[in-house]
Amino acid sequence: MLKYANLSLLLLYPVAWFAPLMRAGLLPFFAMSEISVISGLQALWKTDIFLALLVTSFALFAPYLKTIGLALVHFRIARRRLLPALEVLGRLAMADIFLIALYIVIAKGVGVGRVETAWGLYLFTACILASFALGLLTERRGGLPRAGG
């Protein structure tokens, strides 16, 4: 069951990347714009390439590479020795959730505009937490899923 749950993340991550994380507007009278991981990265690439590379690594590459690596372990293509490196990738992905939450708190604290969280933030967070749990369960079971799972 672990390997199939992990494989589902390969489909859920791209959905989460394009889903709205938040809605933001300058003033209460203007329409709110939806911001996703991808639209945020596109805007960031125009202003700060180094930060865009860093966030791209956290939001896209780290969680996806961890999921692929875990699948390789589950299907016995890679050895269990890969698990510590996958744990590091998982921690980098969790740092991205922290950054998004920090941006929302800062934007709400400034009080110039409005920021509302959207369903994509919950989906992205759920994917990261599911990946974290799958990594822990895989490590506890010796790096391999049990028979039938």
Side-chain angles (χ1 to χ4, degrees):
M1 206 61 184
L2 286 178
K3 63 183 169 185
Y4 299 115
N6 185 58
L7 288 176
S8 71
L9 290 175
L10 292 175
L11 299 173
L12 290 173
Y13 274 124
V15 172
W17 296 333
F18 287 93
L21 295 174
M22 64 184 98
R23 290 176 204 73
L26 185 57
L27 296 172
F29 307 110
F30 296 105
M32 305 276 279
S33 299
E34 289 189 340
I35 301 167
S36 68
V37 171
I38 298 298
S39 68
L41 285 172
Q42 288 172 336
L44 198 53
W45 277 100
K46 295 175 186 173
T47 58
D48 190 336
I49 292 175
F50 177 74
L51 187 58
L53 282 170
L54 194 63
V55 173
T56 299
S57 297
F58 287 169
L60 303 181
F61 297 139
Y64 216 69
L65 288 174
K66 180 189 177 190
T67 303
I68 291 169
L70 209 49
L72 294 174
V73 171
H74 287 158
F75 286 96
R76 300 170 194 224
I77 297 169
R79 293 200 171 126
R80 186 175 185 273
R81 291 187 301 208
L82 185 60
L83 290 175
L86 297 178
E87 184 180 339
V88 171
L89 287 173
R91 287 183 183 172
L92 290 175
M94 291 187 78
D96 195 52
I97 296 294
F98 172 75
L99 287 174
I100 293 169
L102 185 64
Y103 295 149
I104 291 171
V105 168
I106 289 170
K108 284 186 174 189
V110 170
V112 174
R114 288 186 331 178
V115 177
E116 299 172 357
T117 57
W119 66 273
L121 179 62
Y122 299 107
L123 176 60
F124 188 58
T125 303
C127 287
I128 297 295
L129 293 176
S131 178
F132 180 71
L134 289 167
L136 284 176
L137 289 170
T138 300
E139 190 172 332
R140 286 188 181 165
R141 292 185 178 172
L144 300 171
R146 291 183 180 158

